[in-house]
Amino acid sequence: MPAKAKAKQSATTVQQADGATLNGLVAVGEGRRRVVIERVTPEIDGGRYPIKRVSGDSVVVECDAFADGHDEIACAVRYRGPGESEWRDAPMQFLVNDRWRGAFTVDAIGRYSYTVIAWMDRFATWEHQLHKRVEAGQDVQVDLLIGAALVHEAAAAAPEAEAAVLRRYEQALRNGDAEAAFAPDLAARMAAHLPRRFVSVYERELQVEVNRPLARFSAWYELFPRSAASEPGRHGTFRDVIARLPYVAELGFDILYLPPIHPIGRQFRKGKNNSVSAQPGEPGSPWAIGAAEGGHKSIHPELGSLDDFRALVAAARDYGIAVALDIAFQCSPDHPYVKEHPEWFRARPDGTIQYAENPPKKYQDIYPFDFESSDWQGLWRELKSIFEYWIAQGVTVFRVDNPHTKSFLFWEWCIAELKREHPELILLSEAFTRPKVMYRLAKLGFTQSYTYFTWRTSKGELIQYLQELTQSEVREFFGPNFWPNTPDILTPQFYPGQRAVFLTRAALAATLTASWGMYGPLYELMHHVPVQGREEYIDSEKYEIHYWNLDHPQSLRHYIARLNRIRRENPALQRNDGLRFHRVDSNYLENEQLIAYSKVTPDLDNIVLVVVNLDPVNLQSGYVQVPTAEWGLEGDFQAHDLISDARYLWNGDFNYIELNPQTTPVHIFRIRRRERDQSGFEFFA
Amino acid sequence: MPAKAKAKQSATTVQQADGATLNGLVAVGEGRRRVVIERVTPEIDGGRYPIKRVSGDSVVVECDAFADGHDEIACAVRYRGPGESEWRDAPMQFLVNDRWRGAFTVDAIGRYSYTVIAWMDRFATWEHQLHKRVEAGQDVQVDLLIGAALVHEAAAAAPEAEAAVLRRYEQALRNGDAEAAFAPDLAARMAAHLPRRFVSVYERELQVEVNRPLARFSAWYELFPRSAASEPGRHGTFRDVIARLPYVAELGFDILYLPPIHPIGRQFRKGKNNSVSAQPGEPGSPWAIGAAEGGHKSIHPELGSLDDFRALVAAARDYGIAVALDIAFQCSPDHPYVKEHPEWFRARPDGTIQYAENPPKKYQDIYPFDFESSDWQGLWRELKSIFEYWIAQGVTVFRVDNPHTKSFLFWEWCIAELKREHPELILLSEAFTRPKVMYRLAKLGFTQSYTYFTWRTSKGELIQYLQELTQSEVREFFGPNFWPNTPDILTPQFYPGQRAVFLTRAALAATLTASWGMYGPLYELMHHVPVQGREEYIDSEKYEIHYWNLDHPQSLRHYIARLNRIRRENPALQRNDGLRFHRVDSNYLENEQLIAYSKVTPDLDNIVLVVVNLDPVNLQSGYVQVPTAEWGLEGDFQAHDLISDARYLWNGDFNYIELNPQTTPVHIFRIRRRERDQSGFEFFA
């Protein structure tokens, strides 16, 4: 192509491009926004899910922010609480390498929004450059006029009292007084009043789900009401559970969780030790929900009436205890839904309904819901209404059975809908499954989750798992709840029945994370015999009614009570951040049987150091590393063991500890600084 | 509140919630989508920016995907090329821990889109469960009917020939033939034809910017046309540069980059060695753009005419060389824009225009554009039109001067607009600034970028930097271009003038990344004298005209030519993935002066192992670790040094090497396997 023809063709191209340009420019909006905001944290999956906090928490937000050229910038966290239409700003400080940090506090329960804004800091830029010019002895007359114009602009936007002060500065600058530019108060006044131009707003609006404090700091106690009778041989009732409340309160628990309380199916009922068919009179599993007497909104008649249940909820509340119900979305073949809504279940070609299976295993006493039902909308509404029914009875805490076998979309919708009306709801996810599935459920809205704690027994396993839970992104949305046992899980470390194992596993659960729970009274009574070859209790309460002697002299009830009291008295144990593991050396090598970790409040007012002997047989001793400088400890300090009430005088970074599994294999030290009162008296605070 | 009143109130709440529910359900859409898709990679900043590839590349996509329950799922990458409206699917394979991987190839230049889809694999689920039932000896009659219905559904959706086969399978299943379910071809037929129900689509549509191969694999040569005259004392011209093309081609470069070619300002012109005012006759800096003769769309008269420039572009093309221009968006005080568009510059209170400054330094010969101009739209359009003007002259490669001092929003818009019309464009960002700023410019659209290579000289520094560039997320969008020198940068390692340093730095640049460049003829002539106290050449061409003797006997031209030939002949050097560092031991300790790394093609057909002696004084020797098993090397193999053409017979994982800085301090080995031809003759391939 000759050059001229080519040039002509290109000119056309330019014209076309110009046409497109206009569109492009409209899409850009205000093109003078010069600050870039990137990598805002915390942010889960590109802002798709909220982070979680409890009321009173601080939300620390960071971002990368920078502009073209060398001018100064300013950044702020922009946030608003539930129902607020106006944004509030919290200033951010420069850290290093274009990173900025700011924070705001969440008080109200519900959804907060936050993002980051940034703009060119015109006054700081000018002042900064003026400073260099003055130092170099340059003529700054024109520069002072530029500054005066900025101050004038700020004065015009300020309330009158401020404006008067600013006008005096303006005049000083106009008069050639360079020193006025550096007056200590001027920068703050200018930051407050100089209009921000061309403000950049981070592209995503992020969310914080703020829960009540119980969502993070809670101690759960699970019991079977039908085994709560005051004498052997009788079916326990809600009234019996009311009588059990002082005991639960004495143990220090604040959530009392009951397995399903609904009518129990009769078809294919399971017998003692999960035998395929029950003998006459056997009570069946409470998780086989639904019978002629009703389904998920009914109460098993032998437990009592709805009024009895309401009385239990009210009585528990007087003890500061919340009653938690079990939501298990599955039906026995006798459940009224099976007849009323056959479309909610999967039909087989022979006309039967598909029961639960994990081939070749069959669970003929359970029909799962079909989340691919043509009436999925009706199913979703009904399932949500089950929660609403029990919320109306005063229940705000639920343990959800196997949520990972129900549709994720359902949970996301259901929890969002429920929490919009009831932001106080707490939902514990019982999904013992693969990690990504557990984390997804947490992102979708479950407040707390069971964990792998039960299977993490060695020092290395515990440290690695806790680091994942408390130091990776997971901490922003996953609320771990550590249970040493459940009706479904009795892990091998308990089989020998060693008291030390019961003591240490409870202490680990109660102090590693802010929420823990145990299944009693089997735990405090140290039950430890499994079904042969399975990690489950023999003669499980799931299939039969028991009577428990709570006053057994071997009971750990006082130890458990002490653990829970220590948790209540030490704010550091009520949060999951601030956890840190410490080296314990024996003969200059890491002792793999002694695990040591601390939890501290951000103000270092409460420092708790836990040391646990994981060896249930041998006395272990070693030197635990204490970061005295970081904790502000000088000279002697006190390690006050809150379990034994013994007080040790420690000094320096390495201190001797020794734990005997035959007595108490756990130290929970409150670290106390030496202080001096007004009269010169020294004490440990 | 009495219980009844409370219940009534709650009933109201339920009703209200149901009202909201309907809205919620509409928002959910199809609620039966049971598969969740998360953490798709690659994905930059939540999909905000495209990843980059060159045509012919494979895009490997991974995601987490899982469903409720235990059914089997299937996943596919969904993608389409530029201008395509139909999506194509590429199957994904399960890896581990809910992770899936798939890939597609990009052929066309422009924007590809991709995302991930997933669905319940009904047939695989059924087959899998049937297998377990059959193994357990269960009655599977009803299960075979369920499978038959699935095969029937697939047959109804399949083309007739396939449908006929499927109907035979259906009949076999209906006849109770369980073996038919496991026929090897049935699974593939079902995957192809069974309609997918309730397909989940990942929430974000991601982008790939596909460039021509030169965007990744390029060798740049920078020269000052005015110093290209064939005899001393004359201002070089484009015609002189045409005469220089055989030399540049002989050296093996494929991009010839010229500093600005526009009229040079006269006001505040800089003299020799950056002196504040030029003496009469001094040519000034080409970066002080604009004079009475014109601005960014004009040519400095002494270089020649526009036709001469076009002739250069055409002649270079005949040598396989692209001419790259320098785009420096700044003006000398004489630039026509200053009079025509005073609103594009910042005015000072004294009526003057703000020149460039980094207080207390002043650059009175340069006026920066004001990107906060009220006419920012006019400014943006004009700047874009400068690119378009030179594109119309046949230029498709640009080096952009200091892009980080111009607005980020401008670049994002400008590059997107340009590339929509000209997807072949290659833009090299000259932003020597903080890492996040450099990476942002790459995300916004710059194809390549200068790097910190010049300041990374020790083994540890090089390894750390290359790992960031080739193994972190950065590799998805940042195109590193390694330059051992530029007119602005002469780093201290060159000051002593040691030949070994010139040899090693060029070899590192040419082999560590797929793009490199050098500023000649100063590099091949080993110029090494800095301005006292500054990392810059003395008597810089930026301020004066030089004449260079290209035939100097010490010239490295043949060495440079060999480096570029090795790059062309070895595909492994034409990509940045596949880079790996190897241990080099001397006396069982890592030798910190010998750096060894390999690059391999995915099929292991081309294996290049580079060893460089970073010590310019002493001979260094050691044992380099060769991963023979991974590279499929058995027994003897050959290390063919492409620099010296020497061939070494190696064996096993540790092989001796020795590099003398006084001769050639670099090995670039092609690793050749022992093979045997049809007649039994052994050779190294």
Side-chain angles (χ1 to χ4, degrees):
Chain A
M1 200 186 297
K4 273 196 179 173
K6 206 189 273 180
K8 212 170 180 183
Q9 192 200 42
S10 299
T12 317
T13 309
V14 172
Q15 268 193 337
Q16 288 172 340
D18 266 339
T21 296
L22 284 168
N23 294 328
L25 280 183
V26 168
V28 166
E30 173 54 72
R32 288 170 289 183
R33 290 169 289 135
R34 287 172 53 205
V35 190
V36 159
I37 304 164
E38 295 190 324
R39 290 185 195 273
V40 172
T41 55
E43 174 183 291
I44 308 302
D45 292 3
R48 171 75 174 74
Y49 300 103
I51 62 165
K52 292 188 189 140
R53 292 293 186 272
V54 300
S55 56
D57 274 354
S58 173
V59 179
V60 176
V61 178
E62 289 189 11
C63 72
D64 291 349
F66 46 85
D68 58 276
H70 307 287
D71 293 353
E72 304 288 318
I73 66 167
C75 304
V77 182
R78 169 156 282 191
Y79 67 101
R80 63 183 168 199
E84 292 178 0
S85 57
E86 294 291 307
W87 290 101
R88 282 179 281 176
D89 289 351
M92 298 178 87
Q93 275 74 43
F94 177 74
L95 298 175
V96 70
N97 192 17
D98 294 315
R99 193 89 185 141
W100 292 73
R101 180 187 290 157
F104 63 97
T105 299
V106 289
D107 299 313
I109 289 171
R111 283 283 175 114
Y112 277 69
S113 302
Y114 65 99
T115 190
V116 170
I117 59 170
W119 60 97
M120 305 305 299
D121 190 333
R122 294 183 284 157
F123 183 77
T125 301
W126 172 81
E127 189 195 28
H128 188 70
Q129 295 186 348
L130 184 73
H131 185 76
K132 289 187 187 168
R133 291 182 222 272
V134 168
E135 288 220 312
Q138 295 180 353
D139 175 4
V140 295
Q141 210 176 336
V142 176
D143 301 288
L144 292 180
L145 293 179
I146 293 173
L150 288 175
V151 178
H152 181 85
E153 191 181 337
E160 184 43 38
E162 276 289 287
V165 180
L166 286 167
R167 280 194 299 265
R168 282 198 293 279
Y169 276 112
E170 179 191 348
Q171 201 50 54
L173 295 173
R174 287 199 189 283
N175 294 344
D177 174 8
E179 279 309 299
F182 311 117
D185 64 310
L186 180 58
R189 290 181 205 277
M190 290 298 286
H193 301 298
L194 181 64
R196 299 169 184 171
R197 296 196 311 184
F198 317 133
V199 174
S200 298
V201 183
Y202 180 61
E203 289 156 351
R204 288 186 277 273
E205 197 178 301
L206 307 170
Q207 307 284 318
V208 193
E209 179 186 310
V210 180
N211 290 299
R212 53 180 166 146
L214 187 66
R216 182 161 65 212
F217 175 56
S218 59
W220 295 53
Y221 188 77
E222 175 173 7
L223 66 75
F224 279 72
R226 67 188 184 188
S227 296
S230 49
E231 66 281 348
R234 183 167 66 74
H235 192 290
T237 67
F238 292 138
R239 296 282 161 192
D240 292 314
V241 178
I242 292 174
R244 180 69 58 89
L245 288 171
Y247 174 82
V248 177
E250 175 206 308
L251 262 58
F253 290 98
D254 39 32
I255 295 178
L256 174 61
Y257 151 47
L258 313 179
I261 59 173
H262 316 300
I264 295 170
R266 288 180 183 82
Q267 283 187 64
F268 297 101
R269 176 176 285 190
K270 294 288 173 71
K272 186 174 160 74
N273 284 313
N274 200 21
S275 63
V276 173
S277 50
Q279 300 303 312
E282 287 199 273
S285 162
W287 282 274
I289 295 171
E293 297 85 352
H296 285 78
K297 296 174 189 170
S298 301
I299 288 175
H300 185 64
E302 289 180 271
L303 289 171
S305 66
L306 183 60
D307 279 340
D308 291 339
F309 178 74
R310 285 196 191 121
L312 168 59
V313 170
R317 191 178 295 136
D318 290 341
Y319 282 98
I321 294 172
V323 170
L325 285 190
D326 193 315
I327 295 289
F329 283 149
Q330 56 193 21
C331 297
S332 93
D334 306 315
H335 197 294
Y337 288 154
V338 176
K339 278 203 187 100
E340 292 164 13
H341 293 283
E343 69 280 9
W344 291 350
F345 304 90
R346 188 168 292 187
R348 287 162 57 89
D350 61 354
T352 61
I353 288 179
Q354 180 66 59
Y355 44 80
E357 282 189 288
N358 187 8
K361 289 188 207 161
K362 304 178 176 195
Y363 307 96
Q364 283 128 320
D365 58 333
I366 298 292
Y367 287 174
F369 289 111
D370 177 13
F371 282 84
E372 293 181 357
S373 162
S374 58
D375 184 36
W376 62 272
Q377 301 198 356
L379 173 65
W380 285 24
R381 283 198 201 97
E382 177 62 21
L383 296 181
K384 179 165 78 78
S385 78
I386 292 169
F387 281 103
E388 283 161 344
Y389 178 84
W390 294 106
I391 291 169
Q393 316 312 324
V395 179
T396 58
V397 183
F398 295 92
R399 177 264 199 194
V400 177
D401 188 81
N402 280 323
H404 60 296
T405 61
K406 285 90 198 172
S407 137
F408 294 98
L409 272 183
F410 162 72
W411 286 123
E412 184 168 20
W413 167 82
C414 180
I415 297 174
E417 292 287 313
L418 291 172
K419 291 206 81 165
R420 195 162 57 201
E421 301 288 324
H422 310 285
E424 72 282 8
L425 277 191
I426 292 174
L427 299 164
L428 168 63
S429 159
E430 188 248 8
F432 288 109
T433 180
R434 309 185 307 280
K436 289 169 183 174
V437 178
M438 294 173 68
Y439 293 150
R440 176 80 178 199
L441 290 164
K443 291 183 202 170
L444 295 181
F446 283 91
T447 330
Q448 299 187 354
S449 177
Y450 288 80
T451 66
Y452 304 142
F453 168 70
T454 333
W455 298 277
R456 299 291 178 269
T457 54
S458 74
K459 181 171 176 172
E461 287 169 344
L462 285 165
I463 291 176
Q464 189 184 25
Y465 189 46
L466 267 295
Q467 281 172 342
E468 175 173 330
L469 294 181
T470 65
Q471 276 157 56
S472 79
E473 185 192 69
V474 163
R475 68 180 171 185
E476 301 291 352
F477 56 82
F478 185 78
N481 190 331
F482 278 13
W483 290 67
N485 74 328
T486 78
D488 295 311
I489 306 172
L490 176 72
T491 38
Q493 68 266 27
F494 293 108
Y495 299 174
Q498 293 149 314
R499 189 169 164 275
V501 175
F502 284 89
L503 297 179
T504 56
R505 293 298 294 176
L508 291 167
T511 59
L512 278 169
T513 59
S515 281
W516 81 299
M518 55 178 248
Y519 160 49
L522 282 78
Y523 197 86
E524 63 265 34
L525 297 179
M526 294 197 286
H527 276 251
H528 59 86
V529 182
V531 176
Q532 184 68 35
R534 302 194 57 179
E535 293 190 354
E536 277 200 49
Y537 286 98
I538 195 142
D539 302 334
S540 169
E541 285 190 296
K542 290 197 289 182
Y543 312 106
E544 59 190 284
I545 296 172
H546 280 273
Y547 167 78
W548 305 108
N549 175 13
L550 304 180
D551 299 318
H552 192 287
Q554 293 287 329
S555 171
L556 305 178
R557 60 193 278 186
H558 300 299
Y559 174 80
I560 301 292
R562 181 158 283 232
L563 283 182
N564 278 326
R565 206 184 69 212
I566 294 170
R567 286 165 46 86
R568 284 190 195 207
E569 290 172 357
N570 288 277
L573 296 176
Q574 298 167 20
R575 45 200 303 159
N576 292 322
D577 53 354
L579 173 68
R580 169 176 176 180
F581 290 91
H582 298 268
R583 205 177 156 85
V584 189
D585 281 357
S586 302
N587 299 320
Y588 306 102
L589 288 175
E590 178 90 24
N591 183 319
E592 291 300 327
Q593 297 295 341
L594 289 173
I595 185 169
Y597 49 93
S598 64
K599 288 191 147 185
V600 302
T601 52
D603 59 7
L604 294 180
D605 226 40
N606 186 235
I607 301 177
V608 176
L609 175 69
V610 182
V611 189
V612 175
N613 180 1
L614 300 174
D615 177 350
V617 176
N618 304 295
L619 182 147
Q620 295 281 346
S621 64
Y623 288 84
V624 63
Q625 188 167 18
V626 180
T628 54
E630 284 173 61
W631 287 350
L633 303 170
E634 283 171 28
D636 292 344
F637 57 94
Q638 197 182 68
H640 176 193
D641 184 7
L642 305 174
I643 295 281
S644 66
D645 212 30
R647 291 164 188 258
Y648 303 87
L649 199 63
W650 283 6
N651 188 301
D653 276 17
F654 288 90
N655 291 280
Y656 181 76
I657 43 104
E658 169 183 309
L659 287 165
N660 184 346
Q662 309 314 326
T663 56
T664 306
V666 175
H667 282 312
I668 303 181
F669 294 117
R670 169 91 197 267
I671 301 293
R672 298 180 184 277
R673 275 184 208 90
R674 180 190 290 273
E675 298 202 357
R676 196 184 291 268
D677 71 10
Q678 287 168 322
S679 60
F681 180 78
E682 284 199 340
F683 63 102
F684 292 95
Chain B
M1 199 185 300
K4 272 196 176 170
K6 206 189 274 178
K8 213 170 180 182
Q9 194 203 37
S10 299
T12 316
T13 309
V14 171
Q15 267 192 338
Q16 286 170 339
D18 266 339
T21 298
L22 284 168
N23 295 328
L25 280 183
V26 169
V28 166
E30 172 55 72
R32 288 171 287 182
R33 290 169 290 134
R34 288 171 53 203
V35 190
V36 160
I37 305 164
E38 294 190 325
R39 291 186 196 272
V40 172
T41 57
E43 174 183 291
I44 308 303
D45 292 3
R48 171 76 174 74
Y49 301 103
I51 61 165
K52 293 188 189 139
R53 292 293 185 273
V54 301
S55 56
D57 274 354
S58 175
V59 178
V60 176
V61 178
E62 289 188 13
C63 72
D64 291 349
F66 45 86
D68 59 275
H70 308 288
D71 292 356
E72 304 288 318
I73 66 168
C75 304
V77 182
R78 170 157 280 192
Y79 68 101
R80 61 182 169 201
E84 292 177 1
S85 57
E86 293 291 310
W87 290 102
R88 280 178 283 174
D89 289 350
M92 297 179 88
Q93 274 75 44
F94 178 74
L95 298 175
V96 71
N97 192 17
D98 294 316
R99 194 89 185 140
W100 293 72
R101 180 188 290 156
F104 62 97
T105 299
V106 290
D107 299 313
I109 289 172
R111 283 283 175 115
Y112 277 70
S113 302
Y114 65 99
T115 191
V116 170
I117 59 170
W119 61 95
M120 306 304 300
D121 190 334
R122 294 183 283 157
F123 183 76
T125 301
W126 171 81
E127 189 194 28
H128 188 70
Q129 295 186 349
L130 183 73
H131 185 75
K132 288 187 189 168
R133 292 184 222 271
V134 169
E135 287 219 315
Q138 293 179 354
D139 175 4
V140 295
Q141 207 174 342
V142 177
D143 301 288
L144 292 179
L145 292 180
I146 292 172
L150 287 175
V151 177
H152 182 85
E153 192 181 339
E160 184 43 39
E162 276 289 286
V165 179
L166 286 167
R167 280 195 298 267
R168 281 198 293 280
Y169 276 111
E170 180 192 345
Q171 202 49 54
L173 295 172
R174 288 201 191 281
N175 294 343
D177 174 8
E179 279 311 299
F182 311 117
D185 65 310
L186 180 57
R189 290 181 205 276
M190 290 299 285
H193 301 298
L194 182 63
R196 301 169 184 171
R197 295 196 313 184
F198 318 134
V199 174
S200 298
V201 183
Y202 180 60
E203 289 156 351
R204 288 186 277 275
E205 196 178 302
L206 307 170
Q207 307 283 317
V208 194
E209 179 186 310
V210 181
N211 290 300
R212 54 181 166 145
L214 187 66
R216 182 161 64 214
F217 174 56
S218 59
W220 295 54
Y221 188 77
E222 175 173 7
L223 65 76
F224 279 71
R226 67 189 184 187
S227 297
S230 49
E231 66 280 349
R234 183 167 65 74
H235 192 290
T237 66
F238 291 139
R239 296 283 162 193
D240 292 315
V241 178
I242 291 174
R244 179 71 56 88
L245 287 171
Y247 174 82
V248 177
E250 175 206 309
L251 262 58
F253 290 98
D254 39 33
I255 295 179
L256 174 62
Y257 150 47
L258 313 178
I261 59 172
H262 316 301
I264 295 170
R266 288 179 183 81
Q267 283 188 63
F268 298 100
R269 176 177 284 190
K270 294 288 173 72
K272 188 173 159 73
N273 283 314
N274 200 21
S275 63
V276 173
S277 50
Q279 300 303 311
E282 286 199 277
S285 162
W287 281 274
I289 295 170
E293 296 86 353
H296 285 77
K297 295 175 188 169
S298 301
I299 288 176
H300 185 63
E302 290 180 90
L303 288 172
S305 65
L306 184 60
D307 278 341
D308 292 340
F309 178 74
R310 284 198 192 121
L312 167 59
V313 171
R317 190 178 297 135
D318 289 342
Y319 281 98
I321 294 173
V323 170
L325 284 190
D326 193 315
I327 296 290
F329 283 147
Q330 56 192 23
C331 297
S332 94
D334 306 317
H335 197 295
Y337 288 155
V338 177
K339 280 204 185 99
E340 292 165 13
H341 293 284
E343 70 279 9
W344 291 351
F345 303 90
R346 189 169 291 188
R348 286 163 57 89
D350 61 355
T352 61
I353 286 178
Q354 180 68 58
Y355 44 78
E357 281 189 290
N358 188 8
K361 289 189 206 159
K362 304 178 176 196
Y363 307 95
Q364 283 130 317
D365 58 333
I366 299 292
Y367 288 173
F369 289 111
D370 178 12
F371 282 85
E372 291 182 358
S373 163
S374 58
D375 184 35
W376 61 272
Q377 301 197 354
L379 174 64
W380 284 23
R381 282 197 202 100
E382 178 61 22
L383 297 182
K384 179 166 78 79
S385 78
I386 293 169
F387 281 103
E388 284 161 342
Y389 179 84
W390 294 107
I391 292 170
Q393 315 315 322
V395 178
T396 57
V397 184
F398 296 92
R399 178 264 198 193
V400 177
D401 189 81
N402 280 322
H404 60 296
T405 61
K406 285 90 199 171
S407 137
F408 294 97
L409 273 182
F410 163 71
W411 287 123
E412 184 169 19
W413 167 83
C414 179
I415 297 174
E417 292 288 314
L418 291 173
K419 292 207 79 165
R420 197 163 54 201
E421 301 289 323
H422 309 286
E424 72 281 9
L425 277 192
I426 292 174
L427 298 165
L428 168 63
S429 159
E430 189 247 9
F432 287 108
T433 181
R434 309 186 306 281
K436 288 168 184 174
V437 178
M438 294 174 67
Y439 292 150
R440 177 79 177 197
L441 290 165
K443 291 183 203 169
L444 294 181
F446 282 93
T447 329
Q448 298 188 355
S449 177
Y450 287 80
T451 66
Y452 303 142
F453 168 69
T454 334
W455 299 277
R456 299 292 178 269
T457 54
S458 74
K459 181 171 175 173
E461 287 169 343
L462 285 165
I463 291 176
Q464 190 183 25
Y465 189 47
L466 266 297
Q467 280 172 342
E468 174 173 331
L469 294 181
T470 65
Q471 276 158 54
S472 80
E473 185 193 69
V474 163
R475 68 180 171 183
E476 301 291 352
F477 56 82
F478 185 79
N481 190 330
F482 277 14
W483 290 67
N485 74 327
T486 78
D488 295 311
I489 306 172
L490 176 72
T491 36
Q493 68 267 24
F494 292 108
Y495 298 174
Q498 292 149 315
R499 188 169 165 277
V501 175
F502 284 89
L503 297 179
T504 55
R505 294 298 294 177
L508 291 167
T511 58
L512 278 170
T513 59
S515 281
W516 81 299
M518 56 178 249
Y519 160 48
L522 283 79
Y523 197 86
E524 64 263 34
L525 298 179
M526 293 196 288
H527 276 252
H528 60 86
V529 182
V531 176
Q532 184 68 33
R534 303 194 56 180
E535 294 190 351
E536 276 199 49
Y537 286 98
I538 196 143
D539 302 334
S540 170
E541 284 190 295
K542 289 198 288 183
Y543 312 107
E544 57 190 283
I545 296 172
H546 280 274
Y547 167 78
W548 305 108
N549 175 12
L550 303 180
D551 298 319
H552 192 288
Q554 293 286 328
S555 170
L556 305 178
R557 61 193 278 186
H558 299 300
Y559 175 78
I560 300 292
R562 182 159 282 234
L563 282 182
N564 278 326
R565 204 184 71 211
I566 293 169
R567 286 164 46 85
R568 284 189 195 209
E569 290 172 357
N570 287 278
L573 296 176
Q574 299 168 17
R575 45 201 302 158
N576 293 321
D577 54 352
L579 173 68
R580 167 178 177 178
F581 291 92
H582 298 267
R583 204 176 158 84
V584 189
D585 281 358
S586 301
N587 298 320
Y588 306 103
L589 288 175
E590 179 91 24
N591 183 319
E592 290 301 327
Q593 297 296 341
L594 290 173
I595 186 170
Y597 49 92
S598 63
K599 288 191 147 185
V600 302
T601 51
D603 58 7
L604 293 181
D605 226 40
N606 186 234
I607 301 176
V608 175
L609 175 69
V610 181
V611 189
V612 176
N613 179 0
L614 300 174
D615 177 350
V617 176
N618 304 295
L619 183 146
Q620 295 283 346
S621 63
Y623 289 84
V624 63
Q625 188 167 16
V626 180
T628 53
E630 283 173 61
W631 288 351
L633 303 170
E634 282 172 28
D636 293 343
F637 56 96
Q638 196 182 69
H640 176 194
D641 184 6
L642 305 173
I643 295 281
S644 66
D645 214 29
R647 291 163 187 259
Y648 302 87
L649 199 63
W650 282 6
N651 189 300
D653 277 16
F654 288 90
N655 290 281
Y656 181 76
I657 43 105
E658 169 183 308
L659 286 166
N660 185 347
Q662 309 315 324
T663 55
T664 306
V666 175
H667 282 311
I668 303 180
F669 295 117
R670 169 90 197 267
I671 301 293
R672 298 180 184 277
R673 275 186 208 89
R674 181 191 289 273
E675 299 202 356
R676 196 185 289 267
D677 72 9
Q678 287 169 320
S679 59
F681 181 77
E682 283 198 343
F683 64 103
F684 291 96

